[in-house]
Amino acid sequence: MPHPNDTKRVTKTSLYSWVLYKNIPLQLTVIGVIVITVAMRVLPLEMQKRIINEAIGMKDLPALYRYCAIYIGAVTVAGILKFIINLIQVNIGERTLKIVRERLYEHLLSLPVQFYRRTSPGNVISYIITEFIPVATFIGQAVAVPAVNILTFFAMAGYMIHLNPTIGLISIAIYPIELFILPRIQKYFRKANRDRIKHTQSLSGLVGEAVSGVHEVHSNASIPLEKGRFSEVLEKLYKATVMQNGIKFGIKFVNNFFMSLGPFVLFLIGGYYAIKGHFDVGAIVAFLAAYEKLYDPWKELMEFWQVYQDSSVRYNQIMRTFDHAPEFAQEADGREPYALDNDIEIKDLSFVVGGNIKLLDKVSLKVKGGEHVALVGFSGSGKSTLALCVAQLYKYTSGSLLVGGHEVSELTKQDISYNLGMVAQHPFIFDGTVKDNLLYSCRSLAMQGGGCTESGAEPSLDDLIKITQQVGLFTDVLAFALRAKLGDGNTDTALRQAILDSRQEFQEGNDGMYADIAGFIEFFDMDNYSHYMTVAENIAFGAAVKEEFDQEHLHERQRFIEFLDRHELRAHLSVLGETLARIVTDEMGPEPTHEAFAASPIPEAEYGDYQKVANRLDSGEPLSDEERGLILKLALCFIPGIHKQVDLDKGFANRVVKSRPDFIDMVHAEYPGSFSFFKTDKYIESLNIQDNILFGRVRADAQGAEDEINHRIMQALIMQASLEPVAEMGLNFEVGSMGDRLSGGQRQKVALARTFLKTPPVLILDEATAALDNKSQARVQNILTNNWKGKSSVLAVIHRLDMLPYYDKIVVLKAGKIVEQGGYEELLAKKGALHLLINGKED
């Protein structure tokens, strides 16, 4: 039979039920080890008494050796067993924490979309990551700590009574008094802890909100307002934390006071008995040691009680926060997911939110299988809400919504996943590669026993290339690949040779097929200065292979400084660096935007350092060695074709070109392998694929050059039968957190391709091409019209009304109601709502 924890909703599971969940064998092992440990703790006390009374008192050396050996052996075994207990505790706690987090994370992902509209992501992260750590500690300790300390307490108490019943019972009688006082103080500690957690979460949510809305903060100059809100919550957190710690220290004071009463009783009464000859010295020493060890388990039990209270508060608060039932079943238990027809029938559908606001009001619509329907209307008309109800992202309030004859509210998420695909206006892109994101839906289907191909296998590289070409993403994928390097363990010699062969095509004379784009490229030339390479690259006529020789560190190399002096280059570089620092910081001002650094020789991360250098230059103060190094580094990174702040001095350029052979000889002699030099017949490992093929750089002033050059490179790679491996490199491009390395248009193309790969019977598009340019939008629409019409039903929220003629039916919504529907020409002829919408008017 399944364990209750396997079937019950995770938020309904009590904290203590996790203690034994899949942990019973380990917990039993712990108890067995604890019994032996307690025995090993009592044995040294008896040995102390015997060592003093029998061995030392009787001057018996063999007995001394024997008792000391038993003593150290027992202490060592007890220490080893304690180490084992701790390891088992950690294992139990962390393994259970893993299970709880997995179950809770699964539950969180199943919660309604509306839950996340009112819940801060910062709070969710804090709850599931940080706040659970003490809970894991408690779960690991829940059996071991009480067991070891209770057994130790009774073992020590029994031994003390054995030594002297009167003193033992009086000493033990102190603890019930403490047990009466402490829980009452603990009550206030729990309240303070709850307040601290609540204010910590409020602070986390406030920071997350301000960071997410930083553009709004800047545009409203509301930093003082946000600071005030932050300070208010911070003050509450400060008071709650001080209160919690004050109570905690009070508890420690009570513990320490009662701990001191025991020795007081022993010295008073035990001393009296010893003076009267009723209590020997060995027994006093053993009794005192036993009392100290008696307090240790009591102290640990008190600390464990605090851990329990803290964990209980955290756990219950977390579970209460997430104690919401999913709106829809997740899996189709006991059956295969439905393979639905793609007819859609909507009847009297309403969707009402708080305050009795009707976002949809008795909407009725029929979509035949394979029919393409456009939803249009002014903002707030309900068109996106209707699409989200069909996609089962919203649970409609009343009415009927049938897909393939099945009520959507009764279908499982698995059923919807099998039969429906959706692309949102602002699609989410996951951290990982482009390929990972394209295959996201297919891999999810595969885990459910389905797939995007007839065989159920993952789409091939050819499939991915085809779909990216259809949505216009392939040129972006190719661009990602061309900006990549073949290093990092790539040993594809055939690809290197193909790139060299493609380079030869580009290097051929004006009669070659690439002659018309030669003007877009500045080819590498040993005898001429390149305006699209840095000064450092121009000096080396190559690029660094080892980190210590790259542009971040080259200025620190003493031999390189000597080389610059020998060729009379350093003085000019210093003047160039100082001029750039002054001009750039003057032009860009104190707080430049991120976009301003696109054509700046100063990196954004180092702008503050160069502001300080520029200020020192303006004041006439001498620069430090570190600042002079920054100036030289800036000059070495100068690219005259991009950084237009300063003109290139022709005399300096000629000296650079003349210095190249000497630099190459120096590197070969002193630092072999540190640079890869630009040779027409060699693949240059330190350059990206595009620079290797072109054997040069694209001119920044060449309008439309990038697309044309990428097209020609693609032709060259096709001729060399190397397009696929290069494309695969582009598909492995890391998109960054939430796709932040992609543009808005690229993110939408990825989302479209991801859904198109799935080829669902029903496709929902919620302004899915809003971020695309006109050409890309037209391409996507052609795919829908030519490849999907008559096969898959499409329900599209349309923002570009010129696309409406491609749709079989137009549905116009206003204030949550359908005001008219029909064919495009039919509705235009009526001169009704659609006519008004196209003309930008609202009746």
Side-chain angles (χ1 to χ4, degrees):
M1 288 185 62
H3 190 280
N5 283 1
D6 294 327
T7 55
K8 185 191 291 186
R9 192 161 80 219
V10 65
T11 54
K12 298 294 187 184
T13 306
S14 68
L15 174 59
Y16 249 102
S17 68
W18 293 109
V19 173
L20 298 178
Y21 180 66
K22 296 187 177 180
N23 292 321
I24 293 176
L26 279 176
Q27 298 288 24
L28 291 175
T29 302
V30 165
I31 292 173
V33 175
I34 286 171
V35 171
I36 302 172
T37 304
V38 171
M40 292 300 103
R41 285 182 173 181
V42 175
L43 187 58
L45 303 179
E46 180 64 20
M47 291 303 103
Q48 287 181 27
K49 187 184 80 170
R50 295 190 180 189
I51 287 170
I52 293 172
N53 290 341
E54 298 179 19
I56 297 175
M58 305 297 293
K59 298 182 179 180
D60 186 348
L61 275 177
L64 176 67
Y65 298 149
R66 182 169 62 255
Y67 293 147
C68 285
I70 295 173
Y71 177 91
I72 193 63
V75 169
T76 303
V77 171
I80 293 172
L81 293 177
K82 179 64 176 174
F83 174 74
I84 293 171
I85 291 169
N86 288 336
L87 283 182
I88 297 175
Q89 283 180 198
V90 170
N91 187 27
I92 290 171
E94 292 303 318
R95 187 171 68 172
T96 306
L97 175 61
K98 176 176 175 289
I99 295 170
V100 176
R101 279 177 171 163
E102 285 176 348
R103 292 277 304 279
L104 185 60
Y105 185 64
E106 182 181 27
H107 173 73
L108 285 175
L109 295 180
S110 71
L111 293 183
V113 174
Q114 289 90 333
F115 170 82
Y116 291 98
R117 296 183 185 275
R118 60 178 183 268
T119 304
S120 163
N123 280 350
V124 174
I125 295 167
S126 174
Y127 276 136
I128 204 166
I129 304 298
T130 309
E131 297 295 336
F132 258 123
I133 294 174
V135 177
T137 302
F138 165 73
I139 291 172
Q141 296 177 349
V143 171
V145 170
V148 72
N149 288 294
I150 290 172
L151 287 175
T152 300
F153 182 85
F154 282 111
M156 297 302 170
Y159 185 70
M160 289 165 61
I161 293 170
H162 164 71
L163 291 173
N164 189 298
T166 303
I167 301 175
L169 289 172
I170 292 174
S171 299
I172 296 167
I174 294 170
Y175 290 97
I177 301 172
E178 187 176 2
L179 194 62
F180 175 79
I181 295 173
L182 280 180
R184 283 153 179 77
I185 305 176
Q186 287 279 4
K187 180 174 67 174
Y188 295 101
F189 177 81
R190 291 197 299 272
K191 182 181 182 304
N193 192 33
R194 283 196 298 270
D195 291 341
R196 182 193 62 79
I197 292 172
K198 180 180 72 176
H199 297 318
T200 300
Q201 289 157 356
S202 297
L203 199 67
S204 174
L206 195 64
V207 172
E209 183 180 66
V211 170
S212 300
V214 71
H215 291 89
E216 201 67 26
V217 173
H218 280 217
S219 63
N220 288 283
S222 57
I223 292 176
L225 174 63
E226 292 300 324
K227 180 185 175 185
R229 295 172 64 199
F230 183 81
S231 298
E232 183 180 346
V233 179
L234 200 61
E235 178 69 16
K236 293 177 181 176
L237 177 61
Y238 159 73
K239 290 179 179 178
T241 305
V242 170
M243 177 63 73
Q244 181 200 14
N245 282 282
I247 297 171
K248 182 172 73 174
F249 295 142
I251 293 170
K252 285 187 176 181
F253 166 76
V254 172
N255 278 333
N256 292 333
F257 175 75
F258 280 104
M259 181 181 181
S260 301
L261 285 179
F264 169 76
V265 170
L266 174 63
F267 294 141
L268 181 64
I269 302 176
Y272 173 81
Y273 279 144
I275 291 171
K276 294 294 184 179
H278 302 307
F279 210 36
D280 57 62
V281 176
I284 291 177
V285 172
F287 195 98
L288 185 60
Y291 186 83
E292 289 177 353
K293 292 186 180 297
L294 180 71
Y295 182 74
D296 286 341
W298 182 257
K299 180 181 177 182
E300 287 196 27
L301 283 171
M302 292 299 102
E303 291 176 354
F304 172 74
W305 178 255
Q306 290 183 11
V307 170
Y308 166 67
Q309 294 297 329
D310 181 42
S311 301
S312 179
V313 169
R314 290 172 187 266
Y315 181 84
N316 291 332
Q317 191 160 347
I318 292 169
M319 293 309 180
R320 277 197 304 270
T321 301
F322 300 131
D323 190 20
H324 300 270
E327 291 181 319
F328 307 99
Q330 300 301 303
E331 297 181 358
D333 290 332
R335 62 172 174 84
E336 292 294 318
Y338 293 129
L340 301 175
D341 295 332
N342 50 7
D343 293 327
I344 302 172
E345 185 175 353
I346 303 170
K347 186 175 181 181
D348 294 331
L349 192 75
S350 295
F351 181 65
V352 182
V353 294
N356 201 32
I357 300 171
K358 293 184 178 180
L359 299 183
L360 293 177
D361 188 6
K362 294 187 176 180
V363 169
S364 295
L365 172 67
K366 287 187 177 181
V367 180
K368 298 177 182 177
E371 191 174 28
H372 287 199
V373 176
L375 304 177
V376 296
F378 287 101
S379 180
S381 61
K383 53 188 184 295
S384 290
T385 304
L386 178 57
L388 292 171
C389 285
V390 176
Q392 209 194 55
L393 293 177
Y394 287 169
K395 187 171 185 179
Y396 42 93
T397 310
S398 62
S400 176
L401 199 170
L402 302 177
V403 173
H406 291 262
E407 192 69 48
V408 166
S409 62
E410 297 174 1
L411 293 173
T412 67
K413 285 293 181 185
Q414 205 172 29
D415 295 321
I416 291 294
S417 173
Y418 261 61
N419 295 279
L420 187 142
M422 179 173 178
V423 184
Q425 180 180 357
H426 303 291
F428 191 87
I429 304 300
F430 295 90
D431 191 12
T433 65
V434 174
K435 182 179 180 180
D436 291 335
N437 276 279
L438 292 177
L439 294 175
Y440 185 82
S441 296
C442 294
R443 286 171 175 170
S444 178
L445 278 179
M447 291 182 71
Q448 302 168 44
C452 291
T453 62
E454 291 184 6
S455 64
E458 196 170 273
S460 66
L461 178 59
D462 287 341
D463 295 329
L464 296 179
I465 291 175
K466 180 180 177 182
I467 203 70
T468 55
Q469 287 174 333
Q470 287 181 349
V471 300
L473 181 65
F474 185 74
T475 54
D476 299 299
V477 169
L478 183 62
F480 298 151
L482 294 179
R483 291 197 294 267
K485 297 178 182 178
L486 276 184
D488 301 327
N490 189 315
T491 57
D492 192 342
T493 55
L495 181 56
R496 283 173 168 75
Q497 187 57 50
I499 290 172
L500 289 176
D501 292 340
S502 299
R503 177 193 297 176
Q504 187 175 354
E505 295 283 347
F506 276 89
Q507 289 291 305
E508 285 182 352
N510 294 332
D511 296 332
M513 63 180 290
Y514 307 108
D516 58 334
I517 62 167
F520 295 157
I521 306 166
E522 184 184 53
F523 295 107
F524 298 144
D525 185 347
M526 181 69 174
D527 299 322
N528 287 290
Y529 192 96
S530 173
H531 288 68
Y532 293 94
M533 292 198 298
T534 65
V535 172
E537 287 176 319
N538 266 288
I539 291 172
F541 196 65
V545 174
K546 296 182 179 178
E547 183 179 345
E548 61 264 32
F549 293 95
D550 64 18
Q551 291 176 172
E552 292 293 313
H553 304 92
L554 187 59
H555 65 282
E556 300 169 354
R557 308 290 301 186
Q558 184 58 36
R559 287 289 288 123
F560 179 68
I561 301 298
E562 293 171 2
F563 169 84
L564 295 178
D565 288 335
R566 188 165 66 250
H567 288 273
E568 301 179 355
L569 297 174
R570 183 154 67 130
H572 184 93
L573 287 171
S574 296
V575 173
L576 174 61
E578 291 176 3
T579 305
L580 285 170
R582 283 193 173 109
I583 292 176
V584 172
T585 54
D586 284 345
E587 288 181 351
M588 297 177 67
E591 294 185 359
T593 63
H594 173 72
E595 291 73 17
F597 288 94
S600 168
I602 299 178
E604 186 173 1
E606 299 176 8
Y607 187 73
D609 295 333
Y610 282 103
Q611 280 182 307
K612 294 176 184 176
V613 172
N615 290 336
R616 288 176 69 86
L617 289 170
D618 290 339
S619 66
E621 297 180 40
L623 300 181
S624 66
D625 290 342
E626 182 180 354
E627 289 169 331
R628 283 195 292 270
L630 283 172
I631 288 296
L632 181 57
K633 175 183 171 183
L634 178 59
L636 290 171
C637 293
F638 175 61
I639 305 173
I642 297 174
H643 307 140
K644 301 294 186 180
Q645 296 87 352
V646 177
D647 292 329
L648 178 69
D649 182 273
K650 292 183 179 179
F652 171 75
N654 289 333
R655 289 199 301 277
V656 167
V657 172
K658 290 178 181 178
S659 73
R660 286 173 177 172
D662 188 18
F663 182 85
I664 293 171
D665 290 342
M666 180 186 75
V667 170
H668 282 319
E670 300 180 28
Y671 310 105
S674 300
F675 283 80
S676 88
F677 299 107
F678 299 160
K679 297 180 180 180
T680 55
D681 61 341
K682 298 291 185 183
Y683 185 87
I684 306 160
E685 300 289 343
S686 55
L687 294 184
N688 61 37
I689 293 176
Q690 176 172 290
D691 289 348
N692 262 289
I693 291 176
L694 300 180
F695 196 69
R697 299 271 165 81
V698 178
R699 298 178 185 274
D701 56 356
Q703 296 296 323
E706 185 174 356
D707 288 343
E708 186 61 30
I709 288 173
N710 284 348
H711 177 68
R712 296 306 178 90
I713 289 176
M714 184 167 64
Q715 288 181 320
L717 292 172
I718 290 172
M719 291 177 64
Q720 300 299 330
S722 297
L723 182 62
E724 286 192 0
V726 173
E728 189 167 18
M729 290 181 64
L731 290 170
N732 288 323
F733 174 74
E734 293 284 344
V735 300
S737 176
M738 294 187 289
D740 62 0
R741 297 180 69 190
L742 303 179
S743 69
Q746 288 169 339
R747 286 195 285 270
Q748 263 192 340
K749 290 174 186 176
V750 169
L752 284 163
R754 176 167 65 197
T755 304
F756 286 177
L757 270 175
K758 189 178 172 182
T759 59
V762 177
L763 179 63
I764 307 295
L765 303 175
D766 185 8
E767 298 192 34
T769 59
L772 302 184
D773 56 60
N774 292 343
K775 183 179 178 181
S776 297
Q777 288 188 28
R779 180 189 291 111
V780 172
Q781 187 58 59
N782 285 334
I783 294 169
L784 291 172
T785 303
N786 297 329
N787 297 352
W788 291 65
K789 190 167 283 190
K791 298 176 182 177
S792 293
S793 301
V794 174
L795 200 63
V797 177
I798 297 296
H799 66 285
R800 278 191 53 184
L801 300 182
D802 58 330
M803 294 295 175
L804 293 179
Y806 293 96
Y807 286 83
D808 302 310
K809 184 187 293 183
I810 316 298
V811 177
V812 185
L813 291 99
K814 181 180 179 182
K817 295 184 177 182
I818 294 178
V819 292
E820 68 178 16
Q821 56 180 299
Y824 179 71
E825 296 296 339
E826 173 193 348
L827 294 184
L828 281 185
K830 288 172 62 176
K831 293 192 175 181
L834 181 63
H835 185 270
L836 292 170
L837 189 65
I838 290 175
N839 288 280
K841 299 176 182 179
E842 188 173 10
D843 56 357

